[in-house]
Amino acid sequence: LTEREKSRVNDYRRAHPKYAAIRAAQARLDCEGYLAGKGEYLEGALDWATHQAIAEFERRHRVFGWGHLG
């Protein structure tokens, strides 16, 4: 592999766990209806719609995390 390819592989290895965690959270939020009415969301990204859905989930379940994944 070239240095550029190695760099891309390393970037992927660092980013993939975060993407997978956000995607799993989005799947649950969508299944439970928290993403409904929030607009389009970008799969695997912690965008505004996902943030709002997380905040609503937290309020409903009395979790005080300010709408962020930890």
Side-chain angles (χ1 to χ4, degrees):
L1 294 176
T2 67
E3 288 302 314
R4 184 173 183 202
E5 292 169 333
K6 288 178 186 178
S7 177
R8 285 185 175 181
V9 169
N10 288 332
D11 289 345
Y12 172 81
R13 286 181 178 161
R14 277 192 301 276
H16 184 71
K18 183 177 179 180
Y19 168 85
I22 293 171
R23 184 62 199 114
Q26 286 172 329
R28 177 164 179 187
L29 292 167
D30 190 31
C31 180
E32 294 186 20
Y34 290 102
L35 280 169
K38 305 288 189 288
E40 293 287 324
Y41 65 92
L42 184 60
E43 185 176 310
L46 193 54
D47 57 6
W48 185 248
T50 303
H51 171 76
Q52 287 182 314
I54 291 169
E56 183 181 341
F57 176 90
E58 290 174 339
R59 281 191 302 275
R60 181 154 308 158
H61 296 284
R62 296 178 184 230
V63 175
F64 304 103
W66 300 93
H68 299 281
L69 289 176

